[in-house]
Amino acid sequence: MMKSRIALAIALGVSAAALTAVNPAVAAKKEKAPTIQLSDAIRKELGPAQEAMKANDFAKAQGHVDAARAAATTEDEKFIVGQIQLNIGIMAQDNAKVCLGVDEMLATSKTSAEDKPKLASQQGHCAYEAKNYPKAEQAYAAAIASGPVAQDVYARLADAQFRDGKTVEAVATLQKVIADEAAAGKSVPSDWYARGADMASRAKAAPQFVDISSAWLAAYPVKQNWHDSVMIYRQMSNPSGDADLDLLRLLRASGAMPLAAASAYTDYAIAVYLKYPNEAVTVLKEGIAAGKLNPTSSQNTREILAISEPKIAADRTAVKGAVAASQGAKATYQSVLSNADLSYGFGEYKQAADLYALAATKPGANADIVNLRAGASLIQSGDKEGGKAALAKVQGGTQKVVARYWTVLADHPAAS
């Protein structure tokens, strides 16, 4: 055996050209080169391989490398064969040869700590492109564990996990890197949040969807993201009654209602027109102005407007006396809640918040509903901190999710 200090590719005269896209550069500095022992049988193939590569005769170079591979018995020899294979792939722009070289190098213990993250990342890319997602996941995880890696490694790891049926793990991967990047003061692409939300929704993993969509809305509070987050959650949770009304009120408050389908407007109106006709009329007219509803062709729109508009004047008078009526001896939880909702429908948010707080003191009160609606009302009245304090009291169910979204909206108003 002959001893020779061989820098990766350099000592053999091989150009370690930088790889692009999914092919990271693998270069070594001479002062960090390991001591490598090669037999004469191996070395006699590497010299001609070097000359062939210089002449861009990659087929001939490959023949010599194949012969060296057949003769290689030690880790040193297998590592160098893999290194030369990698460089042939780089120079020939042959990704299959690059992938083979990377696999061979990583199969030994000779890869330096400096090069391990790049090589393992490349191995993950190779496996990912070959749709070998378990191998890609293993390689990406090894790359991350061995040192700093490019952002796309995390994104591809998550996608490999998802494609391998590991949705919860995939979302957790994205959440971790998002949190780490945010803690480091770095921005995360919106697509990462969107991909995580899509993964969670496809798997019907509501808690994970709420977690990542809330982070998405805080980082990118645009109306389209609000629409997508609220409407996908609505589809996942399939709420009814008060729970659905609260989601639709949130969507409207975010300004994303015009991005929704016509059915969102009519669902909203149907939920409120019998008790709070002004709110129903206002919502339907917003839908008409947005070009989503046409009374001529929409029977629901036409009929609800006809039923509700004549009642608005009387309700407007009732709103003016709602506080006094709610403070009377005969006031109940339901009557005070109705007065609060009526006030909300007229945009009297401060009064509505006060009445929701009063409703909370009545026997039989649903604390989650009143605290949620009080918080939403306070935020819309301009009292952000008071609103967030009320929302923090919401404990369970869909109301807790909606309260979380409202808290995000308070701190990150939706932009167009």
Side-chain angles (χ1 to χ4, degrees), residues 140-201:
Y140 287 139
I144 292 168
S146 61
V149 295
Q151 270 193 341
D152 73 314
V153 170
Y154 293 94
R156 286 194 175 221
L157 168 59
D159 202 56
Q161 291 171 322
F162 176 72
R163 292 174 186 274
D164 197 32
K166 299 177 179 179
T167 301
V168 173
E169 292 90 337
V171 177
T173 295
L174 285 176
Q175 287 176 313
K176 183 179 186 306
V177 67
I178 286 169
D180 289 348
E181 295 291 283
K186 300 177 182 178
S187 63
V188 175
S190 179
D191 287 347
W192 287 24
Y193 296 97
R195 181 60 174 143
D198 179 64
M199 290 175 181
S201 67

Side-chain angles (χ1 to χ4, degrees), residues 19-278:
L19 295 166
T20 59
V22 299
N23 300 330
V26 179
K29 299 178 181 179
K30 291 185 178 181
E31 65 270 22
K32 294 184 179 180
T35 298
I36 300 292
Q37 291 185 339
L38 300 177
S39 68
D40 288 339
I42 297 296
R43 292 181 63 81
K44 76 176 185 179
E45 297 294 345
L46 298 184
Q50 167 190 335
E51 296 303 318
M53 291 171 72
K54 287 181 179 179
N56 292 329
D57 188 346
F58 303 120
K60 183 176 180 180
Q62 186 65 58
H64 287 293
V65 169
D66 290 342
R69 178 180 294 111
T73 59
T74 68
E75 282 212 335
D76 285 351
E77 292 170 350
K78 292 175 182 179
F79 177 81
I80 289 301
V81 168
Q83 175 63 60
I84 303 306
Q85 180 67 74
L86 171 64
N87 279 280
I88 290 175
I90 295 170
M91 295 180 69
Q93 298 184 16
D94 186 327
N95 204 54
K97 288 181 170 58
V98 167
C99 295
L100 174 59
V102 168
D103 280 347
E104 290 179 326
M105 293 173 70
L106 288 173
T108 75
S109 62
K110 298 298 181 177
T111 303
S112 69
E114 179 184 5
D115 286 333
K116 181 68 177 290
K118 291 175 284 187
L119 281 170
S121 295
Q122 174 60 30
Q123 185 177 58
H125 295 331
C126 289
Y128 182 92
E129 295 301 327
K131 296 181 170 55
N132 186 343
Y133 300 118
K135 181 179 178 180
E137 179 183 357
Q138 183 178 23
Y140 287 139
I144 292 168
S146 61
V149 295
Q151 270 193 341
D152 73 314
V153 170
Y154 293 94
R156 286 194 175 221
L157 168 59
D159 202 56
Q161 291 171 322
F162 176 72
R163 292 174 186 274
D164 197 32
K166 299 177 179 179
T167 301
V168 173
E169 292 90 337
V171 177
T173 295
L174 285 176
Q175 287 176 313
K176 183 179 186 306
V177 67
I178 286 169
D180 289 348
E181 295 291 283
K186 300 177 182 178
S187 63
V188 175
S190 179
D191 287 347
W192 287 24
Y193 296 97
R195 181 60 174 143
D198 179 64
M199 290 175 181
S201 67
R202 288 175 184 271
K204 296 180 171 54
Q208 287 77 15
F209 177 82
V210 173
D211 283 346
I212 202 160
S213 62
S214 295
W216 186 25
L217 294 171
Y220 295 93
V222 299
K223 291 178 181 178
Q224 185 66 57
N225 294 348
W226 271 101
H227 167 269
D228 294 349
S229 295
V230 173
M231 295 305 284
I232 291 173
Y233 177 74
R234 183 177 182 235
Q235 184 177 36
M236 292 175 70
S237 60
N238 192 28
S240 60
D242 283 331
D244 194 37
L245 174 59
D246 289 327
L247 270 173
L248 291 170
R249 281 176 167 176
L250 168 67
L251 183 69
R252 182 182 174 212
S254 74
M257 197 79 172
L259 301 176
S263 58
Y265 287 95
T266 53
D267 286 351
Y268 191 146
I270 289 169
V272 295
Y273 82 100
L274 291 177
K275 291 183 177 180
Y276 320 115
N278 184 71

